[in-house]
Amino acid sequence: MRALITGGAGFIGSHLAERLLDAGHAVDVLDDLSTGSLDNLAGVASRRRLETVIGSVTDASVAGPLVERADIVFHLAAAVGVRLVVEAPIHTIQTNVHGTDVVLEHARRGRTRVIVASTSEVYGKSHVLPFREDADLVLGPPTKCRWGYAASKLIDEFLALAYWQEHRVPTTVVRFFNSVGPRQNGRYGMVLPSFVSRALAGEPLTVHGDGRQTRSFTWVGDVVTALTALAEEPRAVGEVFNVGNDREISIGELAVKVRAMTGSDSPIEFVPHAEAFGEHFEDMARRVPDISKIRQAVGFEPRVQLDEIIERTVAYWRASRIDRPRRAVAQATPVLATAPA
Ligand code: NAD
């Protein structure tokens, strides 16, 4: 099988690429390296069945032929991260909506299987917990630009399901809930890597808001297992699935846990959302998935729980602090294939 992973040099995409290559599949990666890095693929860069194309999924002349030669597309490329979304809302909306449209339009020609990455953000401010896939979604107003990311991903979901309904393109939507693990970086507002790297450096851990907001963290290996299982399940076509761990923790408690598990004496600082992200921001109070649908469809069960997730993340950050010079060399490794300009 030949799989295309858009956003394959990113955090989730690179773990998925490894898993598919290990299973003997050919993998094409399309990535513009805006938030991803070739470093993420360094462990598989020499694999014969991997091809990496540097280019944008919004460029149909590059993405189109790759989609058309694939047996399955994992469409993960997107503008992600709270900070990026707040700072570049037009870019976010255009990348997410147009990129998905390009993928689906080309998948239509061969009725190619497509898995479209969405997000728990689409549940917005709903208070009906845990979040079920068939629940009503409660987004905030367009004056709060944070919701532009959720809305763009929601349009992606509508598009994916519409391509199934109108053109029989076999699509599945996955809503990720705070996937975490090695290679995720904290630069774009991801909380766990940011806490861990700061704790190890003895810098303050910045909690946005009062810290009582909760999140549910999912080990990236469990996410990849869910993706590959759904890809092979015919009954997943035309459906939306939560992919997450249903145990929640408040961000304040997470900061305390990370500090204890790293042995750090970093202070914990509370910064109002308005100060961190501007006036046009509001947060979600709680985020917990109901995972009964994916459990029933493919037997999905999150295997790695929070303490172990933190331990593994700490080990990764400790190693990468020691390993920086080697990683810099890996980053300079030439690209296997470069898309036409
Ligand atoms: P990531 O930033 O590591 O991965 C996204 C990848 O897409 C990056 O490698 C980036 O360079 C690439 N990309 C961005 N714009 C592109 C473009 N126009 N053309 C080609 N490549 C482009 O983030 P991730 O966490 O791996 O996210 C993967 C997907 O999962 C995204 O669609 C994201 O919205 C979704 N998601 C992730 C989480 C999470 O917790 N990690 C939660 C919800 C949703």
Side-chain angles (χ1 to χ4, degrees), residues 109-131:
R109 302 183 187 174
R111 297 213 173 123
T112 308
R113 183 91 175 90
V114 184
I115 310 288
V116 174
S118 184
T119 169
S120 56
E121 291 264 332
V122 299
Y123 290 103
K125 298 186 281 186
S126 172
H127 290 294
V128 185
L129 287 134
F131 294 146

Side-chain angles (χ1 to χ4, degrees), residues 13-340:
S14 62
H15 285 277
L16 176 62
E18 281 175 2
R19 182 81 63 90
L20 293 173
L21 287 163
D22 285 348
H25 302 301
V27 174
D28 290 342
V29 160
L30 171 62
D31 204 297
D32 69 356
L33 304 184
S34 51
T35 54
S37 162
L38 291 178
D39 226 12
N40 290 338
L41 292 168
V44 287
S46 60
R47 299 278 187 99
R48 209 174 31 84
R49 292 168 77 80
L50 172 72
E51 279 196 43
T52 305
V53 175
I54 308 304
S56 178
V57 70
T58 59
D59 181 347
S61 71
V62 177
L66 290 171
V67 173
E68 286 171 30
R69 79 174 192 170
D71 300 304
I72 180 164
V73 181
F74 294 91
H75 176 44
L76 307 181
V80 297
V82 173
R83 188 158 297 285
L84 183 68
V85 166
V86 170
E87 285 169 5
I90 298 174
H91 168 78
T92 298
I93 295 165
Q94 288 179 342
T95 301
N96 296 356
V97 176
H98 185 46
T100 303
D101 192 36
V102 167
V103 166
L104 292 170
E105 190 50 35
H106 287 270
R108 169 184 171 175
R109 302 183 187 174
R111 297 213 173 123
T112 308
R113 183 91 175 90
V114 184
I115 310 288
V116 174
S118 184
T119 169
S120 56
E121 291 264 332
V122 299
Y123 290 103
K125 298 186 281 186
S126 172
H127 290 294
V128 185
L129 287 134
F131 294 146
R132 276 174 55 104
E133 293 88 343
D134 55 2
D136 288 342
L137 308 175
V138 188
L139 299 190
T143 45
K144 309 266 183 197
C145 64
R146 179 226 177 103
W147 300 114
Y149 172 65
S152 69
K153 285 291 194 175
L154 192 52
I155 285 292
D156 288 351
E157 295 195 7
F158 277 116
L159 264 179
L161 299 183
Y163 268 87
W164 166 238
Q165 281 150 17
E166 276 188 45
H167 300 303
R168 306 321 277 171
V169 178
T171 57
T172 298
V173 170
V174 286
R175 293 179 179 162
F176 296 138
F177 284 69
N178 286 75
S179 313
V180 285
R183 302 187 204 132
Q184 184 175 44
N185 69 56
R187 267 177 295 169
Y188 309 101
M190 310 307 186
V191 65
L192 186 61
S194 155
F195 280 178
V196 170
S197 58
R198 285 175 154 266
L200 290 176
E203 292 166 5
L205 309 193
T206 309
V207 173
H208 299 135
D210 63 11
R212 280 187 297 176
Q213 69 275 29
T214 71
R215 296 294 182 266
S216 309
F217 293 92
T218 321
W219 177 246
V220 66
D222 288 335
V223 173
V224 169
T225 300
L227 287 173
T228 52
L230 288 171
E232 286 170 11
E233 175 51 63
R235 286 172 309 165
V237 169
E239 297 287 340
V240 177
F241 292 91
N242 290 336
V243 175
N245 189 319
D246 48 4
R247 300 194 194 170
E248 64 180 323
I249 182 169
S250 77
I251 298 301
E253 283 175 88
L254 181 72
V256 172
K257 223 179 214 310
V258 166
R259 198 171 55 171
M261 289 176 73
T262 50
S264 167
D265 54 9
S266 291
I268 297 174
E269 290 177 352
F270 292 82
V271 174
H273 282 110
E275 200 177 298
F277 301 114
E279 288 304 324
H280 295 296
F281 189 85
E282 60 183 341
D283 200 28
M284 306 160 76
R286 288 179 65 194
R287 230 188 272 183
V288 195
D290 179 324
I291 53 173
S292 47
K293 184 172 175 184
I294 188 168
R295 202 175 254 148
Q296 205 168 19
V298 294
F300 173 75
E301 209 57 62
R303 302 275 170 212
V304 185
Q305 302 304 336
L306 188 61
D307 281 0
E308 197 176 338
I309 290 176
I310 298 174
E311 267 170 32
R312 292 183 185 190
T313 306
V314 171
Y316 166 76
W317 279 93
R318 279 198 209 280
S320 60
R321 280 159 64 81
I322 296 165
D323 215 20
R324 239 172 231 149
R326 196 185 63 75
R327 281 156 46 82
V329 173
Q331 202 150 25
T333 305
V335 182
L336 294 171
T338 305

